Structure formats: structure tokens, C-alpha cells
Amino acid sequence: MNQILMIEKKKKQTKQKSSGSGGAIETKSIVRFFAIVIIVFGIILMGQGSYAIYKEAADKNPANMPKVMVSRESDKVIVSVEHTTEISKVIYSWNNGEATEVPQGGLTAYEEILLPNQNSILNITIEDMKGKKAHYQKEYIVEGLDITKPKIDIKVADGSKKMIITAEDETAMAYLSYQWEDGEVVREEATTENQTKIEKQIDLTPGTKKITIIAEDSSGNIEQMEKEIVATTSEPKMQLIRNGREFIIEASDEDGIKEIKLNLNGKQYVNPVDNQKYIKIGPAMLQEGNNTILVEVTNVNGYTKKAKTEIRYPQ
């Protein structure tokens, strides 16, 4: 009997020990699971933090910022931008005034901004297609400075053989230059310290050519002008000869005629001419009532002469 009781007591002790061991194992598994979850979550947070730090560092990297070059030319500020990302827009303002927004669309941008008449701070914002913005600021002291450009005046009549160029400044001139298309630059310097005007007379050669004129004052302000000049050694002559209801046009030019246009009552007729010195076109017919006639003769040098008359038929 005592043996049976001892055996049953041992079984109970063994069972209790087994139950205690299983509970410990289950607790350890739960702890291990939450520990792994916490470690994974921590790694994710660290990764996000690392990415944010990397992105901020990349944004502040000078290599990723727009390159902005600002210079002054006379009464303008020249802004030139280069960027590795497409530029969305350029925004600028003077002091705290109204902002001007200029849409862009490339890796470069160029703007000319007129200087105000008083000392001012220029604010520039460059925004790219990714929404990243870069801000720039520069102060301009203009009080007491000469920012007024010289004025250029050309006196010439189409068909004339001479032309007079005048460059004038309220302070002092530095030089005047001109160039015919691909020809050499001719430069006329100011001869006195406070010279405010430079005048140049030019002999013209027959033909139609473009001239580029540049004037600079003593403060470095530059004005430029381009103009097409028509020069000739002769000018076309024309006359209308009428015979009843019919009329003809006679035209002549010492250098040669290139084209004659006749506009009769709003209807135009173009007559190309092969460099002939004398040409006759017609006869043309007058309509009953009032007739308006416009004739244009262009010579080989590009010079055009016009004449207009009105004829009533029958008279």
C-alpha cells in the first residue's frame, strides 16, 4: 500500500514538473516574437531616418543646386540659370514688391530685368520640375550712377548716297561704331573727355544692306541698333500715257529695273523685269466712273518709288 502511494506521488510530481516546463517554453516564445517585431520596426524607422537624412544632404549638395549667374549691363540685370533638373519657373521681385513669374521648360533660363531708379534688393527664386526651390538675393546701388543709355539717330533717305549717324549721351560718350553685314567694324572714338555727341557721315554704295550701330558712353552703358539701308546711284522714273480708255505705264532707271507693280482699282498686277533700263507695260483699260491707279517701280538696288493718280472715264 505504501508503495502504491509513493508511486502515485511520484507521478504527480513528474506531471507538475512537466507542466511547469511547458509554461516556461511558451513564455520564452512570446518574448522572442515581440523582440523580433521590435527589432524589425526599429530597423524600418532607422531606414526611414537614414533616407530622410540622405535626401536632405543630397538637396543641399552644391552639385544639385541651380547655378545662377547675375550681371549688370547698363540699365538691366542679366540673370542666367543652369540646372541639372528641368527648370519650372523663375520668380523675381524688387524689395518686397510684386513678384514676376516667368515659366520655363529647360535646363537653362535667361532673363533681362530692368533696374529701378533707386537702390533696391533683387530677390530671385528658381523652382524646378521636382518642386525644389533655390533662393538668391542681391543688392544694387544705383543712386549716383549713370545707367542711361546713349541715343542713336540715323538720317538717311531711301535712295540717298550719304547717311549721317549721331550718338549722343547726357554725360559723356566713349565711342560710336558701325558694321555693314559681314564687313569690318569701323569705330569712332570720342576726342575730348566730356564729349556728349559723336557724329559720322558715311558714303553709301548702291544696294540694300543691313547696318549694325553700337554706341557706348563713358559709364559703360551700351545702345545697339540694326537698320536696313537702301542706297542707289539713281532713282526710278515713271509716267502714265493715256489714249482714250486705254493707258500704258513707262518706267526707266539708269541702273536697271527689277519689278513694276500696277494696282488698278484694287486689283494688283506684278511685272518682273530683267534689269532693263526702260520698260513699258500695258495697255490697261479704264472702267466707267472713277479709277484709282497706283504704280510702284523697284530698281536693281532695291529702291522703290511710288506714284498714285485718279482718272475719271469718260471725262
Side-chain angles (χ1 to χ4, degrees), residues 208-242:
T208 301
K209 291 180 289 186
K210 184 176 70 175
I211 190 171
T212 301
I213 303 167
I214 298 175
E216 182 175 342
D217 67 13
S218 58
S219 299
N221 301 307
I222 297 174
E223 179 65 296
Q224 180 171 319
M225 176 188 290
E226 290 186 354
K227 185 176 177 65
E228 191 173 75
I229 305 297
V230 179
T232 185
T233 57
S234 65
E235 87 178 28
K237 297 179 177 63
M238 67 189 82
Q239 63 174 337
L240 183 149
I241 301 174
R242 181 183 171 189

Side-chain angles (χ1 to χ4, degrees), residues 52-66:
I53 294 170
Y54 171 78
K55 186 177 183 301
E56 184 180 356
D59 287 344
K60 292 182 178 180
N61 188 339
N64 297 326
M65 300 294 288

Side-chain angles (χ1 to χ4, degrees), residues 264-281:
L264 176 59
N265 299 320
K267 189 173 183 178
Q268 185 162 279
Y269 305 88
V270 180
N271 300 270
V273 182
D274 189 19
N275 297 344
Q276 298 180 42
K277 293 185 178 182
Y278 171 83
I279 190 71
K280 180 170 67 175
I281 62 170

Side-chain angles (χ1 to χ4, degrees), residues 52 68 95 134 157 205 226:
V68 180
N95 299 323
T205 56
E226 290 186 354

Side-chain angles (χ1 to χ4, degrees), residues 66-77:
K67 182 180 179 182
V68 180
M69 292 158 286
V70 181
S71 61
R72 185 181 81 87
E73 291 183 8
S74 187
D75 59 345
K76 294 179 182 178
V77 175

Side-chain angles (χ1 to χ4, degrees), residues 4 38 53 69 191 200 306:
I4 293 171
I38 292 171
I53 294 170
M69 292 158 286
T191 55
K200 182 70 175 178
K306 301 178 182 180

Side-chain angles (χ1 to χ4, degrees), residues 231-263:
T232 185
T233 57
S234 65
E235 87 178 28
K237 297 179 177 63
M238 67 189 82
Q239 63 174 337
L240 183 149
I241 301 174
R242 181 183 171 189
N243 182 16
R245 191 172 187 176
E246 297 180 345
F247 70 92
I248 62 172
I249 302 293
E250 288 185 341
S252 62
D253 187 274
E254 294 178 6
D255 292 337
I257 300 170
K258 181 181 179 182
E259 183 183 75
I260 298 178
K261 291 180 181 179
L262 169 63
N263 189 305

